Amino acid sequence: MITLTSRLCSTLLLTLALVGSLAQANSQAGWREQLPQANLIGSGDFSWFGFSVYNAKLWSPVERVDFTQPFALELTYRRTISRDTLVDTSLDEIRRINGEPLDREQQNAWAQQMSQAFVDVKDGTRITGVFLPDAGCRFYVDGKLQHIIDDPEFARAFFSIWLDPQTRSPKLRAALLGLNP
């Protein structure tokens, strides 16, 4: 009886250890599950009035990144910024690049989605957005899935903030796309 109980306890402990290690590996996989073949295409820093705001990295399974293939944009923040500021700034940039106002319903829907996808950030917080053509995008905060947005129009508009030729930071765009010599 003691041997059977001992074996049962050993088996139970081994099973718990295995489940725990699988859960940890799963949580660490993060956005890479969506893009297992992704390589770093380019990176650069974004500063505003001389203050470092974030470091950006663009990851993709293909060298020439465009909106026909999935990619990931990873931002590692260097400042404390509220979620509301991130949402408002993103909407401002989407409107600026779009060249036309968004209708109120669409703007409200996108603001609500971004409020769920973003968090208040501080130095070191990492938000990674994964663009999925014809599907939308996923946002990860410090490697953990935060929110899924099933809206391809939003996804393209959002990532255009960095990748569109009308971006506010053409040097960062060039660095992300690997266009710098």
Side-chain angles (χ1 to χ4, degrees):
M1 185 73 165
I2 292 175
T3 306
L4 182 58
T5 304
S6 175
R7 283 187 184 168
L8 185 59
C9 284
S10 294
T11 303
L12 182 58
L13 288 173
L14 183 61
T15 302
L16 288 173
L18 181 60
V19 168
S21 65
L22 286 174
Q24 182 180 6
N26 227 6
S27 70
Q28 291 175 348
W31 66 265
R32 287 235 177 237
E33 289 179 352
Q34 298 296 309
L35 299 172
Q37 303 299 319
N39 294 307
L40 181 63
I41 303 302
S43 67
D45 293 313
F46 178 76
S47 297
W48 191 251
F49 293 109
F51 294 101
S52 180
V53 179
Y54 57 77
N55 172 266
K57 293 180 180 176
L58 185 63
W59 301 84
S60 175
V62 297
E63 281 187 42
R64 298 186 57 104
V65 176
D66 61 28
F67 289 106
T68 65
Q69 299 289 324
F71 58 80
L73 179 67
E74 177 183 78
L75 304 180
T76 303
Y77 287 87
R78 301 291 178 227
R79 312 200 73 63
T80 298
I81 305 171
S82 73
R83 171 194 329 235
D84 292 341
T85 299
L86 294 175
V87 171
D88 292 344
T89 303
S90 297
L91 281 171
D92 288 346
E93 287 303 298
I94 289 170
R95 284 189 296 263
R96 187 185 65 75
I97 290 170
N98 188 35
E100 310 174 3
L102 300 173
D103 73 52
R104 185 179 303 270
E105 187 175 311
Q106 183 180 49
Q107 181 172 306
N108 290 340
W110 287 4
Q112 183 180 17
Q113 292 289 344
M114 286 188 282
S115 289
Q116 293 176 54
F118 303 159
V119 297
D120 295 335
V121 299
K122 61 183 191 280
D123 186 14
T125 301
R126 191 177 71 248
I127 297 180
T128 305
V130 177
F131 175 83
L132 301 168
D134 303 321
C137 54
R138 293 173 174 236
F139 289 93
Y140 296 80
V141 175
D142 293 330
K144 294 183 180 180
L145 181 62
Q146 178 76 15
H147 190 60
I148 298 170
I149 302 176
D150 296 322
D151 182 345
E153 186 180 357
F154 166 80
R156 185 176 181 111
F158 178 78
F159 289 101
S160 288
I161 293 170
W162 293 270
L163 302 179
D164 189 275
Q166 298 298 319
T167 184
R168 189 168 297 281
S169 184
K171 288 181 183 178
L172 177 58
R173 176 183 182 267
L176 289 172
L177 293 173
L179 302 176
N180 293 339

